[in-house]
Amino acid sequence: MTHSHISVSVDAHARPERVFSVLTDWSRHDEWMLLTRAHVAAGDGRSAGSRLAAFTGVGPVGFTDTMEITEWDPPRTVKVRHTGRLVRGTGTFRVLPREGGSTIVWEEDLDLPFGPVGRLGRPLVGPLSAPLLRLSLRRLAELSDR
């Protein structure tokens, strides 16, 4: 497996409690995360051990990313372990307090699939993914500010 690390952050005017609340309202993911709908697949969605499923795509074309919450520390951190066949690794959201609001940090540590093809694509993962993740975080910040 080839490993890739992506980290992006944006500032929000909303306090960490508000940002964390919107971030972890899984049914609202499609309001801020590009092309993604999420739902709680098992558990309460608000504790370690809960399972989530997120479909990323357009119409019926896309993939489902299954996850397990491994760390739940409101309003600071939620961490997941990606458990699907295509997406494997960990994802972490941190909401850090700052004067006038908060800073939202999204980190992904992923094991890229497809063997040699994944290795060849590794240099493109960060540069292609980071702007999309950052755009999603900007949308989360705007939604949290309402």
Side-chain angles (χ1 to χ4, degrees):
M1 283 278 175
T2 300
H3 185 78
S4 177
H5 176 81
I6 304 164
S7 181
V8 297
S9 65
V10 301
D11 290 336
H13 297 293
R15 296 186 43 73
E17 295 80 9
R18 170 71 179 154
V19 173
F20 194 84
S21 175
V22 175
L23 165 69
T24 59
D25 185 346
W26 310 113
S27 65
R28 295 184 71 189
H29 258 51
D30 64 334
E31 294 179 47
W32 62 270
M33 192 177 285
L34 293 174
L35 304 173
T36 302
R37 297 182 311 270
H39 68 275
V40 176
D44 61 7
R46 301 232 176 278
S47 60
S50 292
R51 295 187 178 275
L52 310 170
F55 179 81
T56 299
V58 176
V61 179
F63 65 94
T64 298
D65 178 13
T66 57
M67 295 161 271
E68 179 181 355
I69 296 174
T70 59
E71 183 177 339
W72 181 265
D73 183 20
R76 292 175 287 280
T77 305
V78 62
K79 186 172 186 175
V80 299
R81 181 172 50 88
H82 297 281
T83 59
R85 291 184 339 174
L86 186 61
V87 181
R88 312 266 313 163
T90 60
T92 306
F93 287 99
R94 297 185 204 295
V95 184
L96 310 172
R98 67 171 182 80
E99 189 169 327
S102 53
T103 298
I104 313 163
V105 180
W106 183 358
E107 295 181 298
E108 293 285 348
D109 287 295
L110 301 174
D111 295 322
L112 302 178
F114 308 124
V117 175
R119 282 190 291 282
L120 287 173
R122 182 178 180 271
L124 299 174
V125 171
L128 292 177
S129 299
L132 298 175
L133 298 182
R134 193 172 293 107
L135 176 58
S136 290
L137 283 188
R138 281 192 201 110
R139 291 168 47 140
L140 172 61
E142 291 171 8
L143 186 62
S144 299
D145 290 346
R146 292 185 199 156

